[in-house]
Amino acid sequence: MSSLSNYLASNQARFRDELFAFLRIPSVSARSEHAGDLRACAAWLRENMQAAGLHTTIHETPGHPIVLGEWRGAGAGAPTVLVYGHYDVQPVEPLELWESPPFEPEIRDGRIYARGSVDDKGQLFLHIKAIEAHLATAGSLPCNVIVLAEGEEEVGSDNLAAFVEAQASHLACDGVVISDSAMFAPGQPSILSSLRGLAYFQIDLEGPSVDLHSGSYGGAVVNPAMALARILATFHDATGRVAIPGFYDAVREWEPEVRAQIRGLPFDDEHFRHEVGATALGGEAGWTTLERIWCRPTCEVNGLLSGYTGEGAKTVLPSKAMAKVSCRLVPDQTPSAIAELLRRHLAQVAPAGVRVQVTELHGGNPWRATLAGPLFDAGRRALERAFGKAPVIVGEGGSIPVVHDFTRVLGAPVMLMGFGLPGENAHAPNEWMSDENFVKGTQAAAYLWEELVRRG
Ligand code: BES
Ligand code: ZN
């Protein structure tokens, strides 16, 4: 066993203990009452990265701080790679559905249960431990590394693009590595070929100035809840296509090879249906389930609010109705163009009697990988060494807003090698990360640096 592998093996228990300490900090970026916890989490991370041998700094933003770690001892002739991850997590509600408290990590059946275990603290942390292993055993890394950890990914990374732009020369690199996604199946390492983008809106409808008695007024006053239902119903046609005019105009066709490759992956609709617990699957006609998730844009309702929703019955005609709606985007759609199309569409379909207001909550651009070059070759070899199996190339339906900015500002290729698994409950109660993937992911992350310089 090499001293690197040996170090990883003999320190694994401590790595897990440290990860648990990281997971105990409730860094919920969406909730202002947790602002102090985000600061504490950034400070903890800084300390841990410093101990690993990185030179670390904390950068304030209008939101939550950014933690930067650097090791540039390989010199100007060696490649520089930036590792990106996020230390913030999603809210934990509904709390009563957690089998163990979200911020008291626990291992059950080989899974590390905690909010943020897989998204993204566990996956970020394994990179820090991989770097530590090199510096502890060899005193150096084969290349220069920059670790960039942000605290606002789960709320749209609003302040990160500006930071990357302002620090562009400091962050200049030959490639970016991100572990914030899932493997296609247990034991099957995966590299991402695409991410969808996001355009998130709140739609508010106002009808009468106050709630009204539905007997005294109902039938004579436009009901905002019904008006909202009618508006939302115009978002799709009967074949599941989004019916907002112009919605598909910017969509770039997928290469036939990409579709063929996706269709070649082993995927069972019935198994998937069972896993999500639905009675039937549904989506845009003419596309397979994986294509619907990876290759096609969507328009979904994420939340609805209107009228009386408490116990029993209340006869009321609500004065307001609200919907949270988000569109997942594919290249070359942009959040701003989609917002414009949605506004125009709403102006067309909103009935008289309600005022409609649209607020853009956040957005991110879609991204497609260039799956060639030394970083990808190294990633493939590192994953195969750690997992004993060559990685497959997969798409992804979720979004990581900064990925597009890395490509745009730094001009560097981005490689996403994730260590989550299907069913990991990210953003949901009982989030978990496979302990085996934490171990093998740390190995893969450590091997990556060796593989990157192996063939120049
Ligand atoms: N880790 C996810 C991205 C992701 C989602 C990767 C699904 C693989 C599968 C990330 O933390 C996330 O949830 N992103 C948000 C972005 C949004 C808040 C701007 C998302 O996709 O909803
Ligand atoms: Zn994440």
Side-chain angles (χ1 to χ4, degrees):
M1 215 194 250
S2 70
S3 62
L4 182 69
S5 300
N6 201 29
Y7 184 90
L8 294 175
S10 50
N11 286 279
Q12 203 54 60
R14 175 175 58 83
F15 292 172
R16 198 174 290 110
D17 288 346
E18 289 180 18
L19 172 61
F20 276 30
F22 191 20
L23 291 170
R24 283 192 194 99
I25 308 171
S27 49
V28 182
S29 52
R31 298 226 184 277
S32 50
E33 72 260 31
H34 282 292
D37 294 314
L38 279 115
R39 304 197 80 76
C41 197
W44 185 94
L45 191 58
R46 177 190 186 171
E47 195 93 334
N48 194 282
M49 279 162 54
Q50 192 82 36
L54 292 160
H55 169 70
T56 61
T57 45
I58 291 207
H59 299 259
E60 295 299 332
T61 75
H64 306 304
I66 291 166
V67 186
L68 207 61
E70 296 164 68
W71 187 86
R72 299 188 187 263
T80 300
V81 178
L82 187 152
V83 176
Y84 162 84
H86 62 96
Y87 67 84
D88 65 321
V89 302
Q90 286 272 332
V92 294
E93 293 77 12
L95 250 184
E96 65 278 11
L97 296 184
W98 285 79
E99 275 169 43
S100 51
F103 298 111
E104 292 173 30
E106 192 176 292
I107 298 200
R108 299 192 300 274
D109 305 324
R111 297 168 169 186
I112 301 169
Y113 282 91
R115 170 57 89 231
S117 55
V118 74
D119 187 7
D120 177 40
K121 286 175 173 173
Q123 298 199 65
L124 165 63
F125 193 64
L126 62 85
H127 281 285
I128 296 165
K129 296 300 102 177
I131 290 169
E132 175 193 307
H134 278 276
L135 295 178
T137 53
S140 65
L141 280 153
C143 61
N144 303 303
V145 297
I146 306 169
V147 179
L148 194 174
E150 72 152 322
E152 300 189 296
E153 198 274 348
E154 299 292 6
V155 287
S157 300
D158 283 346
N159 298 300
L160 191 55
F163 178 80
V164 173
E165 276 162 20
Q167 301 277 332
S169 58
H170 194 78
L171 300 176
C173 59
D174 302 286
V176 177
V177 176
I178 302 175
S179 296
D180 188 17
S181 55
M183 308 203 310
F184 186 67
Q188 177 55 71
S190 312
I191 293 179
L192 288 201
S193 63
S194 60
L195 286 164
R196 288 196 292 192
L198 186 67
Y200 202 123
F201 309 98
Q202 178 167 324
I203 302 174
D204 285 285
L205 264 63
E206 251 183 69
S209 53
V210 287
D211 283 1
L212 302 171
H213 190 294
S214 68
S216 313
Y217 298 92
V221 176
V222 175
N223 181 327
M226 285 306 302
L228 180 60
R230 296 183 78 96
I231 289 172
L232 297 177
T234 68
F235 286 2
H236 296 86
D237 70 14
T239 70
R241 256 178 91 82
V242 176
I244 298 168
F247 187 78
Y248 293 97
D249 287 358
V251 173
R252 201 198 310 164
E253 283 307 311
W254 292 82
E255 298 85 356
E257 310 89 82
V258 176
R259 288 189 72 179
Q261 183 212 324
I262 291 173
R263 288 183 182 219
L265 289 167
F267 188 85
D268 179 31
D269 268 5
E270 187 49 26
H271 178 85
F272 178 75
R273 184 194 67 74
H274 187 78
E275 201 177 67
V276 299
T279 54
L281 297 178
E284 189 185 352
W287 301 82
T288 66
T289 298
L290 284 181
E291 287 172 339
R292 285 171 177 172
I293 301 172
W294 294 351
C295 305
R296 297 297 288 169
T298 62
C299 181
E300 297 279 4
V301 173
N302 297 132
L304 277 177
L305 193 66
S306 187
Y308 182 69
T309 56
E311 189 183 352
K314 181 187 183 199
T315 46
V316 67
L317 193 158
S319 83
K320 292 176 177 161
M322 185 273 276
K324 305 261 187 187
V325 171
S326 70
C327 299
R328 293 284 169 173
L329 312 180
V330 302
D332 296 311
Q333 292 175 305
T334 63
S336 56
I338 293 298
E340 184 52 37
L341 293 174
L342 179 72
R343 284 179 194 284
R344 249 187 261 164
H345 178 65
L346 288 174
Q348 288 293 315
V349 298
V354 289
R355 285 175 292 274
V356 180
Q357 199 192 323
V358 183
T359 313
E360 288 164 47
L361 294 181
H362 57 219
N365 281 293
W367 168 83
R368 233 143 111 182
T370 2
L371 293 162
L375 184 62
F376 286 95
D377 295 341
R380 285 196 181 94
R381 292 197 297 268
L383 287 169
E384 181 158 7
R385 265 176 76 187
F387 287 86
K389 201 168 178 189
V392 288
I393 304 297
V394 296
E396 176 50 59
S399 311
I400 306 177
V402 74
V403 172
H404 179 268
D405 298 310
F406 282 143
T407 315
R408 176 178 61 85
V409 181
L410 305 178
V414 183
M415 178 179 64
L416 283 115
M417 51 176 212
F419 302 108
L421 283 179
E424 66 197 6
N425 296 327
H427 297 200
N430 305 309
E431 174 179 350
W432 54 271
M433 174 165 189
S434 148
D435 186 51
E436 182 187 332
N437 279 14
F438 176 62
V439 173
K440 291 187 176 170
T442 310
Q443 292 167 354
Y447 299 155
L448 178 67
W449 308 121
E450 293 183 336
E451 295 297 336
L452 193 61
V453 293
R454 188 182 293 279
R455 283 166 230 183

